[in-house]
Amino acid sequence: MGKRSVTGIIIGTVAGLLLLIAALTSWYTVDESEQAIILTFGKIDEEVTTPGLHFKLPWPIQTVETLSRETFSLQFGYKEENGKVVASNKGDTKMITGDENIVLADMVVQWKITDPAKYLYRSYEPEQILYNATSASLRSVIGSSKIDDALTSGKAKIEADVRESLTALMKKYDIGISILAVKLQDVDLPNDEVRKAFTNVTDARETMNTKINEANKYRNKRTKEAEGEKDALISQAEADKVARIEKARGDVAKFNALYEEYKNAKDITKQRLMIETLEQVLPYTRIYIMNDDGNTLKYLPIQPIEKQTTEKKKEQGSGNE
């Protein structure tokens, strides 16, 4: 075998290897949960987000960097595996509140890669930058909050403020990461003594609020009762006013009618008024009408006559039935 034959075999072998490498490195696949960038001689050429089989120039001309499009979870202050906390970093979670109390706070941050090129080449350790930014944001918000807010009803606001601050930092650092959500996992006091003291203060505050609510309830009840009594008195006064007005109108009408009768028969009307007045003033006194002509005193017993008249009317009424 001559030199030419050996050279030809070597050249053919090298060409075959090059063709094989070109064939193997000219095609790549992007899954639905992935995104990729194409590098031409180490320089970013394009981003690929469409899933499927794609063609590129063979290695070493072009290379592919593939990244996940899924949502990641950053666990700040603790480490969880299979649903269980396996480690806790109290050095990261210990913070001072705005009213100078110490709390332990850990958090989970949901994030994703939105710019693969910036994520890969804008920073050396983007996840560490995210971790540090989370620590800075959480400490800043806790440091301006009261301990009651951090331990009770203010957690939602703290989460919203941390997300706003962390989003602003990621935008400033521009490392291709977007923040989706933040969630406080646990906010606690550093030891049992502090926890017991805080519990006592909380219990005392709850007792105070309970007493205040009971007092307000009693005050509202008495106020409503007083308002009801006031309305009843006003209604009664209005009714009395109407009744008095109507009675006065009736008395005026009665007086006018008596006055008309008086003008027609003054003596008879005067005597009748005198008798009716005596009946009202002396209701249990027997009344006699007497006539003195100078010689003999005569009187007319009114009560027996009234009794006879009443009995006669009853008899007539029974006869009609």
Side-chain angles (χ1 to χ4, degrees):
M1 184 179 297
K3 285 185 177 182
R4 292 184 178 180
S5 298
V6 174
T7 302
I9 293 172
I10 294 173
I11 293 174
T13 301
V14 172
L17 289 174
L18 292 176
L19 290 175
L20 180 62
I21 292 173
L24 293 176
T25 60
S26 296
W27 298 93
Y28 66 97
T29 302
V30 176
D31 196 2
E32 291 183 355
S33 62
E34 294 177 334
Q35 54 190 333
I37 58 173
I38 305 299
L39 303 176
T40 303
F41 294 115
K43 182 179 179 181
I44 299 173
D45 188 41
E46 63 175 325
E47 295 184 6
V48 179
T49 57
T50 304
L53 185 65
H54 299 273
F55 174 80
K56 69 176 183 64
L57 296 177
W59 180 88
I61 300 174
Q62 286 187 330
T63 57
V64 178
E65 292 285 351
T66 304
L67 297 172
S68 176
R69 300 175 63 180
E70 66 179 2
T71 299
F72 299 93
S73 294
L74 182 143
Q75 298 166 351
F76 175 79
Y78 71 102
K79 186 176 181 181
E80 186 178 68
E81 292 180 0
N82 300 323
K84 295 182 180 180
V85 177
V86 296
S88 178
N89 190 349
K90 291 186 177 181
D92 287 348
T93 60
K94 185 178 292 186
M95 306 174 190
I96 299 179
T97 63
D99 48 2
E100 298 182 352
N101 290 283
I102 297 176
V103 294
L104 303 177
D106 49 32
M107 171 176 283
V108 61
V109 178
Q110 303 290 332
W111 62 280
K112 67 187 304 182
I113 302 170
T114 53
D115 193 324
K118 292 179 180 179
Y119 179 82
L120 289 172
Y121 301 107
R122 183 61 66 90
S123 64
Y124 179 65
E125 292 182 338
E127 293 188 31
Q128 185 62 44
I129 293 175
L130 176 61
Y131 190 94
N132 295 339
T134 301
S135 177
S137 299
L138 182 57
R139 290 179 184 278
S140 175
V141 174
I142 292 291
S144 59
S145 303
K146 295 183 178 180
I147 187 171
D148 289 345
D149 297 333
L151 294 174
T152 56
S153 59
K155 291 184 178 180
K157 185 177 186 306
I158 290 176
E159 291 173 351
D161 292 344
V162 170
R163 179 179 178 178
E164 181 180 357
S165 175
L166 186 56
T167 300
L169 286 176
M170 289 298 99
K171 184 177 180 180
K172 179 180 179 180
Y173 295 154
D174 196 21
I175 56 175
I177 290 177
S178 293
I179 305 301
L180 302 180
V182 298
K183 178 68 176 178
L184 279 172
Q185 295 298 97
D186 189 22
V187 180
D188 201 0
L189 296 167
N191 54 56
D192 292 337
E193 293 181 0
V194 176
R195 192 178 298 108
K196 183 178 179 181
F198 181 80
T199 301
N200 292 336
V201 172
T202 303
D203 292 341
R205 186 182 296 109
E206 291 297 327
T207 301
M208 178 189 69
N209 292 333
T210 300
K211 295 296 183 182
I212 292 174
N213 292 334
E214 290 177 353
N216 290 333
K217 183 178 179 181
Y218 178 77
R219 181 189 64 185
N220 294 334
K221 179 182 177 182
R222 294 299 300 160
T223 301
K224 290 181 180 179
E225 290 177 354
E227 290 177 351
E229 293 176 359
K230 179 190 73 174
D231 294 339
L233 290 174
I234 292 174
S235 299
Q236 183 178 357
E238 293 291 337
D240 290 343
K241 180 181 75 172
V242 174
R244 288 176 182 270
I245 292 174
E246 295 299 324
K247 184 177 182 301
R249 290 175 178 173
D251 292 341
V252 171
K254 181 179 180 181
F255 177 81
N256 291 333
L258 287 174
Y259 182 70
E260 293 296 329
E261 294 295 330
Y262 176 77
K263 288 193 300 183
N264 295 329
K266 294 183 179 180
D267 294 335
I268 295 174
T269 303
K270 180 188 289 186
Q271 292 178 5
R272 184 167 67 83
L273 291 174
M274 291 175 63
I275 294 171
E276 290 177 354
T277 302
L278 288 173
E279 287 180 346
Q280 294 177 359
V281 175
L282 303 171
Y284 300 105
T285 303
R286 293 181 180 182
I287 299 176
Y288 298 92
I289 299 176
M290 305 177 68
N291 183 20
D292 186 4
D293 56 0
N295 296 324
T296 304
L297 181 63
K298 297 180 181 180
Y299 69 90
L300 180 62
I302 298 299
Q303 193 172 21
I305 295 175
E306 290 178 348
K307 183 177 180 181
Q308 292 175 4
T309 303
T310 303
E311 291 177 353
K312 185 175 181 181
K313 288 182 178 180
K314 289 181 179 181
E315 292 175 357
Q316 291 177 355
S318 300
N320 293 332
E321 291 178 358

